[in-house]
Amino acid sequence: MSYYSLEKRQEYLQQQGERQPLPPFAANPRLNAPELYQPSPELADAVNVALRLGLPLLLTGEPGSGKTQLAEHLAWFFNLGETLVFNAQTTSSATDLFYQYDALGHFQHSHNSKEQLLSLEELERRFIRYKGLGEAIRSQQRRLVLIDEIDKAPRDLPNDVLDAMDKLRFYVAEVDKWHTTEPQHRPVIVLTSNSEKNLPDAFLRRVVYFHIEFPDPAKMMEIMGAKVAGLDAGQLRPVVDHFYAIRGERNLKLNKYPATAELIQWAAYLQETGFPTAKLKNPDRLSEEERRALKTSYSVLAKTREDLAALVRRVGGIMNDE
Amino acid sequence: MMNEMTSLPHRRLLVELLDTLQTVGYPLGPGKLMQVEELMRQLPPDTPPEALRTLLAPLFASNPEAQRQFYGLFDQCLAAAYKTLVQEEPLPTTLLATPGIEKAETRSRRSLLATLLALTLAAGAAFDGGTPVTWVLLAAVGAAALLAGWKLPLRPVSRWAYLLALPVLTLAGFGLKLWMLAMVTTPIIIDRPPRQTERIPVEQGESATRSLQIPGDTARLIAAAHCNGQNAGTTPSGGRYAIDSSGTLRYTAAAEALPGSTDTLCAEAVYASRRDTALFVIDILATDVPLPAQDKERLAEIPLPFPDSLSAISLDPEVQTRADFYRRYQWLLKALIFLLAAFAVWAFLRWNERRRAKFVAEIEQRDSPPYVWRIETGEEQRLDFEESLSLLLNRLRRREGTDVRRLDVRGTVKASARRAGRATFVFREQTRPPEYLLLIDRFDANDHRARLFDALYEELRRAEVPVERFFYQGDPRVCFNETHPDGLPLTELLHRHRDARLLLIGEGQRLLLPSSGQLAPWTGMFSGWRRRALLLPKPTREWGRREQTLAGLFAVAPASVQGFDLALEQFETLEQRSPAEAMRRVADAVAEPFEFKGSLLGSLRRHFAEPLIRWIAACAVYPALHWDLTLYLGRTLSEPEDDALLRSANLRQLARLPWFVQGTIPENARLQLIEYLAEQGLETRVRRALDELLRSAPAPAKGSVAWDDYRMNVILNELMLQPDAAKRRELEAEFERFLAAGKQPDFVSFKQLQRQPTRLDLLVPENWKKYLFRHGSSRFGLRRLALLLPVWVLLAAGIALVPVKTEVCNGELVSYQNRLLCLDDAAARLLYLDYLTRDAIDAQNHARADSLRREAGIAARAAQPAADTLPYYSNTAAWYYNYGARAYNCSRWPTAQCPALPADSLLNIACRNFRYAQDRDSLNQYMRLALFRCDKGAGPVALVPVVADAPIQKLETNMARITGGSFTMGCKDTTRDGDCDDDEKPPHEVRVRDFYISRYEVTQAQWRAVMGSDPPELHNKGCETCPVERVSWNDIQEFLKKLNTLTGKQYRLPTEAEWEYAARGGAQSRGYLYSGSNTIDEVAWYTENYAKGNTFGEQKTTRPVGGKKPNELGLYDMSGNVYEWVADCWHGNYKEAPKDGTAWLEANGGNCSGRVVRGGSWGINDNSCRVSDRNYDYADNRDYYIGFRLARY
């Protein structure tokens, strides 16, 4: 069951009142399952160093190389509970790392209620929401904090992270309270960055750094084997090869080259639509229909119109509107 | 987990690694070291050092590049640590550097030279002939050639072919040589055919058996026998052998056989299909005379007085042979050598060419990036930005407000309180440090103007100013930097750095539409940045309408530090200043445009100070302009007393020149500038500095395109520094290969290089050069043809000058033991006889061997060679003779002092055995034993003379022992003694004691063997076995003296009584009238029968001895043939003759001027041949019918 098809146009028109049922969505539970993540030995070493030395781990790498996934996997592996994610933004400030104070709510509350002034505990309970690092320090157990895209944050923020890590405490001015934790409850911090260039040198000196290379085809086969159900190695191989062929062709000049996530989705899509993946070995032999199906599936891989056009051209087709 | 992690490899590795990292420039603060320390402490101690690679990388790297670099550095350090620590442990192959091309080249060049040398020497040795030196030389050469061949860079097949070719070539060379020699003359080949030989060790008195059959083929054996046909017998050394019909040979060694000696047996087996001859060499093992071990060893080392090889003495004749050969075939030889040499040269050139072609192909194939090499010293190049920088920094650090406003809780509470509780929200602007985005127009990687701003950017980064920098090339719609080498569109930049302050540096031409001069529509994108400025590098003097237009979109300022500052000021105040004001405000901007007018140097001088011109000129030395290079040269040229050149203002001045923006200086300008530099006396200094830089700067990856250019520049620069000749050759050869590969050299340097004359330039006319030299320059090698010419000339001259001896071999050319000898006729004949003799000995034909020896002895005397070389001419008779004589007189040995020899000493045994020595080896063995004993100085003794010469030897062997007895001497009655004369009377009883007497009359050969020559008036010349005649009694005394000296025996003439006793048949006498018979014809040659069947025709002369029947005692020719001298003086009758058989001399009126002769002769009647008949002759008379025989006790 799928959405609109030109051949069935008349059928749709005749049905009028009857609408098509929405095709069921079968989520791929494996797509982001942390237990299926496979770190490379080098990455595992880097993680070990970070854990041993209690330093934050800074990860760089192409999008889709599994930086965020690693954090999830670590939390799962060491049973650290839910990962505390902090998405850095250009406007993030130091306190955002620890908590959010709902000043407006507090104000409204104090304005409207005729109650007495709230006790500090009540104030904290109601209007302070601990986040990321703050929650990790407060929870008195080891937690994993993921600070995503730290290069986007203002330049003081990274240093604040390190400072907190050094002292293992933070101050909540609103309730005049220090939160602190024991050294053994030191949170595990994973930072990801798309560009290490924007980070202060002093920060870089005090983190454990690892650059995740894009997985090679063999590794990718392993990953895919774990992540995509229903395709055996023989069927998967042409898909992966095709994917690497696209990535390897630099003269395609794609704005964004597809990454692992796209590949997983693409493979899942191909599998669901029943595309004969074995034929990807030799795209020239595809039938007209299959070629069209392939072109359609490229929408998963390409993220801009130019990219899609380039991919379609690659298999000898033209965009409909060209 | 808390184990100490201090094992030696780790520590060694860490020290190495940290050192390296520090050298490379990693910041290694105490914090980092503590981190490492902590990590090492926590790691389990059995962590392999390799694992540290990925464990340490996260601590040191901070970007993907650094991560990769770290891995590389780590591997290096690991290798180094292993090397210092575990020498014996082989390093993982990946860690070992692969050997460079040069190394392989040198090796193969050496190998080839070694091969050529080997071939040449081998050829020389082949022509030299087979002396031991030659063989040693050949062996060495062969080994060298093999070694060289092994190292030649060949494919396995070729290598095997090469190795196989060596022996084949050598053999072919020998074959050629022999063939050519054979063409000169056909040599007499006298080598014996090889024979199956088996050695059998036997103890003294022990037996050994051998089967002559082919195992398992018994039926086919027909007969087996000794080679001489006798199935049983005795060998000369006394061993007994027997061969039975079943084909079994049994040998029993004699009990007294000489230990260490050998015996030979020849056996023949006849099969149905063929006949086999086997030679058994029997080694007598046991030692009856115990020799200490060291003596045994010494035994073999005792030098023989003469070399035991015939060839040793014929060296000179051989030289003559060779000379003769040269003389006749000089032209052929020379042509051959010439061809060989030419071939060698050709092969070398071809090899060289191919190697070059290979290298060239290699260079041509190089297309891996990087394509361009940027000189990056890796050093931090800090520019002096003057104090305006600090002002700028202050301004840059001022925080700016943001869009975000936060509720100021405290302020709100205060305000609310102030307003009586009415909620009054107070918001406060959140400030933050401003971020900057620099977009720099960069024409080229070497655009100095862009690099200057880049340096400023670096300076700002160092000051922790949050600044991001991108480059663009003319059009800012696509920007790039190291992180984004493929470029980011402006929209993306806007998205990422919207809050940053934009500083666009460049002329901004592309922002305007070329047709209308209005701002291009897309420039609207810049409005996305609230604060934006355009820094214009254009000289302010040239600013005009266009800048006015741009000022509509940007804050415009001159591109300088102060201009920067001005732009920032405008950001803060948000005031737009007109370009004119900006021009006025900024003092450090470039105002004047650079104009070329008149001469180049003139224009430069108009605009620049002299130190700057020098700097520009220095930059012209290298073909391309590089920022790092420029700074480096600036530093090199900075004189202490000068102002330092490295100031941003100076660089801005340089950037006025369009060259420094475009990255190249035009070639003619470079030429002029370099000349200027040379005039200033700075060229060498600059080049040296450049050379140093090129060597120290990290070179591009080998095998990349950029590497070739880099290398060529290095070479050219080094050549310009005028290195020594060897270095220069090496550089030129390498450069030439690059040229051959089609690489373009730096034209200016190349041209300059040609400016310097070389010696060849002076010799060769200009218009020849293009034919003679590759690339028309004598600097880069001769063409192949030109290279060949002088080599050819030298070779030809060398060959023509080879001195050649032109003597001819006047004798026979003899091939002996595969060597060609030039011997005189006599020597050749002796050699031939020697060969025949040995062959006879091998065939056990001793009779023939003896006769051959005899003949050889005669020939040796006839040749009359020098005494010392005598033994070589005949290894049989003369050899024994000479050795025997020398052993006797052993004080004459050069090495041994031999006082005397014991009677039954080994020497005696040895001497005895000389006679039986069947080949040189055993002879040498005996000889050595004798010498050894001699050397040991064994006790005093009577010497046993050895009659070594066969004729002399025959004298001894032919002595018959006569048992003494009594008989009636003289004419007893007519029945017994026939028609007697008066001098035979009275008959009287004589008793003689035991004595020896010759069976035969002494022959001519024997005489010559002793005396060295024939009697001067010998009648029947040339009959070796005829009795000697025309010897006077006195001559015989001389003979006896010599003979006794030679043999050590006491030979004498028989006494008359002994003679008659022997003639009558001694104790076995049958009373014959003539000695041995009553019929004279049976026993004697006399006047009636001497001519019958005479091979000498009717000539009246002697006949060979032993031609008739012997008498009762086995003595021949007692009657007839020749009269025989006896010892006695002449007495007319037997009155008062001695009765004891002694010689009757002067006693009783003896006339000793006449001596008795007995037995009649060939020229006399039968009556005179009677046994009792007497006659006499004068002692000094030599008659052709008188000879003699010997006697001794």
Side-chain angles (χ1 to χ4, degrees):
Chain A
M1 190 67 65
S2 60
Y3 175 61
Y4 206 83
S5 132
L6 206 61
E7 291 82 15
K8 295 185 181 169
R9 188 162 168 266
Q10 284 306 315
E11 230 176 279
Y12 298 144
L13 288 176
Q14 283 160 15
Q15 283 170 354
Q16 284 203 347
E18 268 183 68
R19 297 291 189 271
Q20 297 289 323
L22 188 66
F25 168 67
N28 181 357
R30 293 159 167 248
L31 191 60
N32 284 317
E35 60 272 22
L36 296 178
Y37 183 78
Q38 300 180 11
S40 66
E42 292 86 3
L43 176 56
D45 274 340
V47 169
N48 281 328
V49 170
L51 291 178
R52 281 173 198 280
L53 299 181
L55 294 176
L57 174 64
L58 172 64
L59 295 173
T60 64
E62 279 186 56
S65 51
K67 300 187 291 292
T68 313
Q69 289 271 309
L70 172 81
E72 297 288 346
H73 184 249
L74 275 179
W76 170 82
F77 192 87
F78 291 110
N79 198 13
L80 297 176
E82 203 186 329
T83 310
L84 300 168
V85 184
F86 175 78
N87 284 308
Q89 287 158 3
T90 43
T91 54
S92 300
S93 70
T95 51
D96 293 343
L97 269 174
F98 304 103
Y99 65 94
Q100 237 174 10
Y101 167 52
D102 185 5
L104 201 57
H106 185 197
F107 192 79
Q108 270 177 346
H109 178 268
S110 59
H111 195 70
N112 296 339
S113 78
K114 301 299 170 208
E115 290 169 40
Q116 280 188 313
L117 233 60
L118 288 171
S119 70
L120 286 180
E121 285 74 26
E122 194 67 9
L123 184 69
E124 186 184 9
R125 190 181 59 77
R126 289 200 188 183
F127 300 114
I128 304 284
R129 270 189 295 283
Y130 290 99
K131 295 170 62 180
L133 203 50
E135 179 63 25
I137 291 175
R138 216 173 66 98
S139 64
Q140 296 301 324
Q141 56 175 342
R142 295 206 79 175
R143 296 294 294 272
L144 189 132
V145 183
L146 170 67
I147 301 174
D148 228 351
E149 306 196 352
I150 186 138
D151 51 324
K152 281 196 191 151
R155 288 173 60 85
D156 349 10
L157 192 91
N159 288 329
D160 288 335
V161 175
L162 292 177
D163 192 47
M165 285 295 292
D166 276 354
K167 296 178 179 146
L168 289 178
R169 63 174 196 180
F170 67 96
Y171 179 64
V172 187
E174 284 76 4
V175 294
D176 188 20
K177 185 176 179 185
W178 281 98
H179 282 282
T180 177
T181 189
E182 299 303 311
Q184 66 264 31
H185 296 145
R186 171 184 288 271
V188 177
I189 298 183
V190 177
L191 305 137
T192 73
S193 165
N194 285 326
S195 145
E196 70 290 338
K197 290 275 169 179
N198 277 347
L199 297 168
D201 286 346
F203 171 76
L204 289 174
R205 274 200 293 277
R206 287 157 70 195
V207 297
V208 170
Y209 170 85
F210 189 77
H211 176 77
I212 303 180
E213 297 285 348
F214 197 80
D216 61 5
K219 180 79 187 158
M220 185 56 93
M221 277 298 289
E222 280 177 41
I223 294 171
M224 294 296 287
K227 294 265 179 176
V228 182
L231 285 177
D232 60 30
Q235 292 168 302
L236 214 45
R237 167 72 63 193
V239 179
V240 172
D241 288 347
H242 194 80
F243 170 75
Y244 275 95
I246 289 171
R247 276 185 64 89
E249 249 177 76
R250 284 293 148 181
N251 57 7
L252 279 181
K253 299 218 169 59
L254 299 187
N255 287 324
K256 181 189 178 304
Y257 280 86
T260 319
E262 279 93 346
L263 173 62
I264 295 172
Q265 282 170 344
W266 187 50
Y269 175 83
L270 290 177
Q271 187 244 332
E272 241 167 75
T273 54
F275 186 85
T277 53
K279 289 201 177 176
L280 280 178
K281 271 183 215 162
N282 206 336
D284 298 342
R285 298 238 184 105
L286 287 173
S287 72
E288 205 46 53
E289 202 169 326
E290 286 159 348
R291 198 182 293 273
R292 198 161 55 235
L294 181 66
K295 276 191 259 177
T296 313
S297 74
Y298 276 159
S299 298
V300 181
L301 295 180
K303 294 296 157 68
T304 67
R305 195 171 153 276
E306 290 85 13
D307 289 2
L308 186 59
L311 286 182
V312 168
R313 261 199 308 280
R314 196 176 161 275
V315 287
I318 47 163
M319 291 284 283
N320 291 341
D321 53 359
E322 267 183 87
Chain B
M1 288 296 275
M2 285 300 185
N3 285 318
E4 282 292 309
M5 185 71 192
T6 50
S7 78
L8 199 53
H10 292 97
R11 202 179 311 152
R12 181 74 68 146
L13 173 64
L14 274 181
V15 169
E16 184 88 38
L17 183 66
L18 292 177
D19 272 0
T20 312
L21 291 179
Q22 197 141 34
T23 323
V24 173
Y26 278 73
L28 286 181
K32 195 104 288 184
L33 294 177
M34 275 164 66
Q35 284 173 359
V36 175
E37 194 91 340
E38 178 65 18
L39 181 68
M40 297 306 287
R41 204 172 60 78
Q42 291 200 18
L43 286 174
D46 56 344
T47 313
E50 292 81 1
L52 292 180
R53 186 171 180 257
T54 45
L55 285 171
L56 288 177
L59 283 181
F60 288 101
S62 60
N63 58 56
E65 194 80 14
Q67 188 171 320
R68 271 191 292 279
Q69 190 193 12
F70 180 87
Y71 286 161
L73 289 173
F74 183 88
D75 289 343
Q76 277 174 24
C77 297
L78 187 65
Y82 266 124
K83 216 183 220 165
T84 52
L85 198 71
V86 256
Q87 291 288 6
E88 69 276 12
E89 205 172 272
L91 289 175
T93 46
T94 47
L95 296 183
L96 289 171
T98 47
I101 297 170
E102 290 92 336
K103 213 169 162 190
E105 264 178 62
T106 325
R107 207 172 47 219
S108 39
R109 193 186 306 133
R110 281 197 198 127
S111 303
L112 193 90
L113 281 179
T115 312
L116 286 180
L117 186 72
L119 282 176
T120 316
L121 285 179
F127 276 110
D128 186 48
T131 60
V133 179
T134 313
W135 291 110
V136 170
L137 199 68
L138 262 185
V141 157
L146 283 182
L147 211 68
W150 206 249
K151 286 193 169 171
L152 271 179
L154 297 172
R155 278 175 301 143
V157 181
S158 318
R159 191 188 308 287
W160 284 115
Y162 169 82
L163 292 180
L164 203 69
L166 274 183
V168 168
L169 275 179
T170 314
L171 285 179
F174 273 104
L176 185 70
K177 176 200 165 198
L178 285 179
W179 174 73
M180 288 197 300
L181 285 174
M183 275 173 42
V184 182
T185 171
T186 311
I188 307 161
I189 296 162
I190 57 170
D191 286 320
R192 280 177 295 173
R195 200 171 278 177
Q196 281 300 118
T197 306
E198 190 193 351
R199 295 195 87 87
I200 307 174
V202 180
E203 303 261 338
Q204 283 173 320
E206 296 288 310
S207 299
T209 52
R210 279 289 179 280
S211 175
L212 301 178
Q213 294 179 40
I214 300 173
D217 203 7
T218 41
R220 299 175 60 199
L221 182 77
I222 293 168
H226 193 261
C227 293
N228 61 10
Q230 290 170 347
N231 283 347
T234 314
T235 61
S237 75
R240 289 190 310 284
Y241 68 89
I243 299 171
D244 62 24
S245 56
S246 69
T248 308
L249 164 75
R250 183 180 174 79
Y251 173 84
T252 309
E256 76 277 9
L258 188 69
S261 65
T262 54
D263 210 345
T264 37
L265 268 180
C266 170
E268 207 171 41
V270 184
Y271 298 96
S273 55
R274 63 200 167 93
R275 169 190 286 262
D276 271 354
T277 308
L279 193 67
F280 295 96
V281 178
I282 293 134
D283 295 314
I284 313 293
L285 292 175
T287 322
D288 60 348
V289 183
L291 283 176
Q294 70 269 29
D295 284 356
K296 261 190 199 163
E297 282 167 22
R298 255 192 70 205
L299 197 61
E301 291 164 7
I302 293 176
L304 290 173
F306 305 102
D308 60 354
S309 165
L310 181 79
S311 46
I313 54 152
S314 42
L315 208 64
D316 284 339
E318 203 217 358
V319 169
Q320 283 198 347
T321 314
R322 197 169 49 198
D324 180 34
F325 179 75
Y326 280 144
R327 190 183 60 80
R328 286 192 222 177
Y329 289 93
Q330 243 187 78
W331 60 271
L332 186 66
L333 269 178
K334 284 183 177 178
L336 273 174
I337 294 172
F338 187 85
L339 278 178
L340 194 75
F343 174 77
V345 169
W346 176 81
F348 177 77
L349 287 173
R350 174 141 182 81
W351 172 78
N352 207 21
E353 178 76 5
R354 289 184 73 157
R355 195 193 51 152
R356 214 175 57 98
K358 204 173 127 208
F359 190 85
V360 164
E362 210 170 274
I363 296 175
E364 276 170 350
Q365 272 175 7
R366 283 183 201 157
D367 56 355
S368 57
Y371 302 105
V372 192
W373 181 58
R374 285 198 285 145
I375 300 179
E376 271 164 5
T377 49
E379 295 167 33
E380 224 172 63
Q381 304 274 15
R382 298 199 72 157
L383 278 177
D384 183 1
F385 281 99
E386 298 119 36
E387 70 267 31
S388 49
L389 181 71
S390 51
L391 289 174
L392 179 67
L393 281 175
N394 272 343
R395 203 182 281 280
L396 284 165
R397 288 210 182 95
R398 284 184 201 158
R399 293 177 76 88
E400 64 166 4
T402 57
D403 295 342
V404 181
R405 287 172 173 271
R406 285 211 166 214
L407 184 72
D408 183 353
V409 177
R410 199 160 295 173
T412 306
V413 171
K414 265 187 193 165
S416 300
R418 237 193 338 265
R419 300 189 56 179
R422 240 186 85 200
T424 308
F425 294 104
V426 176
F427 290 95
R428 204 172 54 202
E429 189 185 42
Q430 217 178 339
T431 63
R432 56 163 201 187
E435 291 173 24
Y436 297 92
L437 178 64
L438 286 180
L439 298 186
I440 303 170
D441 186 2
R442 196 172 79 167
F443 177 83
D444 181 277
N446 298 317
D447 181 344
H448 283 51
R449 204 160 62 194
R451 292 301 296 262
L452 184 61
F453 272 92
D454 194 32
L456 181 61
Y457 157 76
E458 296 289 346
E459 202 68 33
L460 296 183
R461 289 288 297 207
R462 242 176 258 127
E464 302 252 323
V465 175
V467 57
E468 188 58 61
R469 178 264 289 123
F470 282 85
F471 295 110
Y472 66 94
Q473 206 167 357
D475 190 342
R477 272 177 289 184
V478 180
C479 298
F480 55 90
N481 65 5
E482 299 87 343
T483 336
H484 303 279
D486 295 336
L488 278 180
L490 195 60
T491 46
E492 175 73 24
L493 270 182
L494 181 59
H495 172 71
R496 289 191 184 195
H497 300 279
R498 186 182 286 275
D499 295 323
R501 299 170 169 188
L502 175 72
L503 285 151
L504 194 64
I505 298 154
E507 302 274 2
Q509 271 169 340
R510 302 282 277 275
L511 304 183
L512 303 171
L513 291 172
S515 48
S516 61
Q518 292 305 305
L519 283 168
W522 61 265
T523 50
M525 250 191 284
F526 285 112
S527 316
W529 280 280
R530 271 180 57 215
R531 296 188 171 91
R532 53 189 185 273
L534 178 63
L535 301 182
L536 292 162
K538 204 172 182 183
T540 46
R541 193 68 58 80
E542 290 194 326
W543 284 18
R545 206 173 65 85
R546 189 189 287 171
E547 283 66 33
Q548 202 65 46
T549 315
L550 289 169
L553 188 60
F554 296 97
V556 175
S560 72
V561 179
Q562 287 184 19
F564 204 124
D565 196 52
L566 181 68
L568 294 179
E569 192 193 311
Q570 294 182 47
F571 290 160
E572 283 167 15
T573 56
L574 288 174
E575 287 171 23
Q576 191 82 357
R577 291 183 198 277
S578 68
E581 194 186 346
M583 267 194 294
R584 197 169 38 76
R585 286 275 307 274
V586 177
D588 63 347
V590 174
E592 290 276 341
F594 186 85
E595 276 177 291
F596 286 107
K597 219 185 258 172
S599 78
L600 176 78
L601 278 171
S603 327
L604 286 174
R605 286 207 175 97
R606 262 205 309 285
H607 291 278
F608 301 117
E610 205 65 18
L612 270 181
I613 301 178
R614 280 205 289 272
W615 192 2
I616 294 168
C619 293
V621 168
Y622 195 75
L625 290 169
H626 290 276
W627 173 255
D628 277 13
L629 179 64
T630 308
L631 295 192
Y632 175 82
L633 290 173
R635 191 154 0 104
T636 310
L637 288 179
S638 289
E639 302 283 350
E641 67 267 19
D642 259 357
D643 282 358
L645 283 172
L646 290 188
R647 280 183 307 171
S648 65
N650 282 341
L651 276 159
R652 223 170 9 251
Q653 287 294 322
L654 287 194
R656 285 166 73 190
L657 277 169
W659 306 337
F660 282 86
V661 175
Q662 286 152 9
T664 47
I665 302 180
E667 276 165 358
N668 49 5
R670 278 183 65 206
L671 275 175
Q672 288 184 46
L673 285 170
I674 293 172
E675 263 167 44
Y676 164 77
L677 204 60
E679 277 165 27
Q680 299 275 316
L682 286 170
E683 192 188 350
T684 319
R685 183 167 141 204
V686 168
R687 286 203 182 274
R688 199 147 282 148
L690 183 61
D691 191 51
E692 214 167 278
L693 174 75
L694 288 173
R695 281 170 192 289
S696 61
K702 226 170 175 188
S704 64
V705 176
W707 192 82
D708 296 340
D709 286 340
Y710 158 75
R711 189 71 202 143
M712 280 165 81
N713 281 324
V714 170
I715 293 171
L716 272 180
N717 194 52
E718 214 171 317
L719 278 175
M720 297 295 289
L721 280 172
Q722 312 204 327
D724 59 70
K727 181 77 186 158
R728 162 167 301 196
R729 266 199 302 283
E730 196 181 301
L731 290 171
E732 284 174 356
E734 192 182 348
F735 194 84
E736 198 234 332
R737 284 198 296 266
F738 281 115
L739 288 181
K743 299 282 169 188
Q744 288 300 318
D746 168 32
F747 174 76
V748 173
S749 302
F750 192 71
K751 202 166 173 192
Q752 270 202 309
L753 204 57
Q754 280 186 298
R755 219 170 50 191
Q756 306 172 358
T758 70
R759 207 173 304 153
L760 269 170
D761 277 333
L762 302 176
L763 290 174
V764 181
E766 198 60 37
N767 52 349
W768 278 34
K769 281 189 179 171
K770 63 174 183 283
Y771 299 108
L772 282 178
F773 301 112
R774 236 175 254 281
H775 310 286
S777 163
S778 60
R779 209 151 271 286
F780 297 115
L782 294 162
R783 279 170 190 276
R784 231 195 316 172
L785 186 77
L787 191 68
L788 276 183
L789 275 173
V791 174
W792 229 270
V793 168
L794 278 178
L795 268 178
I799 289 166
L801 287 175
V802 168
V804 172
K805 285 187 191 170
T806 51
E807 287 102 313
V808 193
C809 171
N810 290 317
E812 301 281 345
L813 203 60
V814 176
S815 162
Y816 177 78
Q817 292 181 346
N818 277 327
R819 304 195 49 211
L820 274 175
L821 312 174
C822 178
L823 299 176
D824 57 38
D825 291 343
R829 180 170 158 70
L830 279 171
L831 193 62
Y832 180 61
L833 286 174
D834 181 34
Y835 156 69
L836 291 180
T837 311
R838 278 181 290 133
D839 212 32
I841 290 173
D842 280 352
Q844 308 268 311
N845 191 344
H846 294 290
R848 178 167 162 72
D850 272 348
S851 86
L852 284 164
R853 280 173 180 160
R854 219 163 20 241
E855 210 176 318
I858 293 159
R861 267 154 199 71
Q864 293 197 323
D868 279 354
T869 58
L870 187 67
Y872 304 107
Y873 287 97
S874 165
N875 75 321
T876 51
W879 180 287
Y880 298 157
Y881 166 78
N882 209 294
Y883 271 26
R886 280 178 180 270
Y888 173 72
N889 200 358
C890 72
S891 61
R892 285 173 58 195
W893 289 123
T895 52
Q897 258 122 55
C898 184
L901 293 166
D904 52 354
S905 68
L906 262 178
L907 177 58
N908 275 339
I909 303 171
C911 289
R912 210 164 63 229
N913 274 288
F914 284 164
R915 269 168 275 167
Y916 304 116
Q918 304 217 338
D919 52 41
R920 281 204 178 83
D921 284 346
S922 50
L923 188 75
N924 291 342
Q925 182 72 4
Y926 297 137
M927 202 60 223
R928 284 202 172 93
L929 264 173
L931 288 172
F932 176 70
R933 285 288 150 198
C934 191
D935 206 22
K936 295 283 265 187
V941 225
L943 295 172
V944 180
V946 178
V947 182
D949 197 320
I952 298 170
Q953 191 186 333
K954 271 281 150 74
L955 286 176
E956 170 57 21
T957 50
N958 288 341
M959 296 300 274
R961 187 183 158 80
I962 310 297
T963 316
S966 301
F967 77 106
T968 310
M969 189 176 171
C971 184
K972 196 166 130 194
D973 51 47
T974 46
T975 356
R976 191 186 82 165
D977 296 314
D979 188 10
C980 297
D981 292 331
D982 289 340
D983 52 13
E984 299 164 43
K985 291 165 183 171
H988 55 289
E989 280 294 307
V990 178
R991 179 169 187 84
V992 293
R993 50 179 286 198
D994 291 359
F995 67 101
Y996 289 90
I997 193 162
S998 302
R999 286 197 174 88
Y1000 307 99
E1001 290 154 346
V1002 172
T1003 62
Q1004 293 181 14
Q1006 288 162 343
W1007 179 271
R1008 199 185 304 116
V1010 176
M1011 300 300 287
S1013 61
D1014 285 329
E1017 305 141 23
L1018 186 67
H1019 173 66
N1020 187 10
K1021 271 192 180 158
C1023 177
E1024 296 290 330
T1025 51
C1026 293
V1028 69
E1029 25 48 30
R1030 281 208 164 155
V1031 285
S1032 70
W1033 191 91
N1034 292 339
D1035 289 341
I1036 291 168
Q1037 298 315 306
E1038 280 300 313
F1039 173 86
L1040 289 173
K1041 211 185 275 176
K1042 278 197 176 175
L1043 180 64
N1044 291 344
T1045 315
L1046 277 175
T1047 58
K1049 294 196 157 93
Q1050 296 296 319
Y1051 288 108
R1052 53 185 173 80
L1053 287 175
T1055 62
E1056 196 176 8
E1058 283 168 343
W1059 192 94
E1060 198 173 320
Y1061 180 68
R1064 286 181 188 279
Q1068 285 115 55
S1069 175
R1070 297 197 185 150
Y1072 291 128
L1073 182 61
Y1074 308 102
S1075 181
S1077 175
N1078 287 329
T1079 319
I1080 190 165
D1081 240 348
E1082 279 184 337
V1083 292
W1085 298 106
Y1086 70 115
T1087 187
E1088 297 293 327
N1089 67 2
Y1090 72 86
K1092 286 181 191 162
N1094 189 341
T1095 49
F1096 306 99
E1098 290 299 309
Q1099 195 184 357
K1100 296 178 176 180
T1101 184
T1102 53
R1103 302 296 294 259
V1105 296
K1108 295 282 183 181
K1109 243 179 74 183
N1111 73 353
E1112 299 91 316
L1113 292 173
L1115 309 178
Y1116 297 86
D1117 297 317
M1118 287 299 272
S1119 298
N1121 215 354
V1122 283
Y1123 269 109
E1124 295 165 25
W1125 290 105
V1126 292
D1128 299 41
C1129 298
W1130 178 251
H1131 293 79
N1133 52 52
Y1134 284 135
K1135 283 170 190 163
E1136 296 177 30
K1139 295 188 161 108
D1140 57 0
T1142 53
W1144 190 18
L1145 300 178
E1146 284 161 345
N1148 311 325
N1151 177 7
C1152 283
S1153 63
R1155 296 278 175 166
V1156 179
V1157 293
R1158 299 293 296 264
S1161 79
W1162 57 271
I1164 209 155
N1165 58 18
D1166 50 357
N1167 197 41
S1168 298
C1169 293
R1170 290 175 299 113
V1171 286
S1172 57
D1173 187 62
R1174 296 179 74 212
N1175 213 332
Y1176 75 96
D1177 204 345
Y1178 292 105
D1180 56 357
N1181 222 11
R1182 293 167 176 149
D1183 268 313
Y1184 57 85
Y1185 52 82
I1186 306 176
F1188 69 106
R1189 70 176 69 219
L1190 298 172
R1192 66 174 171 89
Y1193 286 118

